[in-house]
Amino acid sequence: MPRRRPLRLSRQLGREQLLLLKRNARALDHLIVEWLHVIGPGVCCCVMHRSQEALVNGWLRANAPQLKVLPLVNNYDEAHSRWDPAAAEAVLGSASARAQFASDIDRFVTGGHYAGVVLDLEQIPIDAQSDYVKLVDELAGIFRGRGLQLLVALAPDSTGYDYAGLAAAADGADLDELRRAHRNRRPGATGQPGLVRNRSGPASQRALPPTS
């Protein structure tokens, strides 16, 4: 688990955020970056802004190779500037779609040599909450024994979320205090989330390659 609070960077890496990373890289254990979005069955998950991913990874290799990166995946629809619970629900409600989603995440994390992943699925309907726990448990099973971390980002006042079930299935629940004051915020704001530990579209979108 992260010993210190991680730095979170949004998908839009402006000059200010890059300077923030460069100034704090040596004092951080983990970096959370918003690079993945849930699309729905068939694609399930896509990578956002490959050029920014390459930029950050290149700088880290040269300047802070000890800093572990945790990509964040959410269900924010950039094209319409809103959360997309329907896309997430469509993936959560299908065993085959959940398996494809987990496979996509595993290949992305493994291929990028990342430390794990942060799930940030928001506005999930109450009747899909149990399926969210299933997804986390299934992905945790894939990560288990490989030294990979699985965190779930949750607003402290999210309605209907199974905090205990999600935290038990994952390595921890990431409670972003910024969301208490910004319930309708755009995702990926730079912040320092707290951590609750458990028992231990757009043209810039690019779909992950199919599983071979």
Side-chain angles (χ1 to χ4, degrees), residues 41-92:
V43 176
C44 290
C45 189
C46 77
V47 183
M48 305 295 296
H49 309 289
R50 284 282 193 181
S51 61
Q52 293 181 0
E53 180 191 359
L55 175 65
V56 171
N57 286 339
W59 187 89
L60 290 177
R61 281 194 297 270
N63 298 278
Q66 82 293 342
L67 184 54
K68 297 179 180 179
V69 177
L70 290 165
L72 179 146
V73 54
N74 65 26
N75 59 321
Y76 190 77
D77 180 354
E78 287 193 354
H80 299 94
S81 300
R82 62 177 177 82
W83 294 99
D84 188 357
E89 185 178 13
V91 171
L92 296 174

Side-chain angles (χ1 to χ4, degrees), residues 166-210:
L166 291 169
D171 292 305
D174 171 13
L175 299 181
D176 187 346
E177 296 297 335
L178 292 177
R179 294 184 205 172
R180 190 187 297 274
H182 303 286
R183 296 184 182 182
N184 296 317
R185 65 155 179 81
R186 287 176 60 85
T190 301
Q192 295 181 319
L195 191 67
V196 174
R197 303 187 182 194
N198 71 347
R199 60 187 183 278
S200 353
S204 57
Q205 290 186 359
R206 180 175 173 184
L208 288 168

Side-chain angles (χ1 to χ4, degrees), residues 1 16 23 58 67 70 75 79 81 86 90 113 138 145 162 188 196:
M1 297 295 292
E16 181 179 346
R23 289 171 182 168
L67 184 54
L70 290 165
N75 59 321
S81 300
H113 304 287
E138 291 160 1
D162 183 355
V196 174

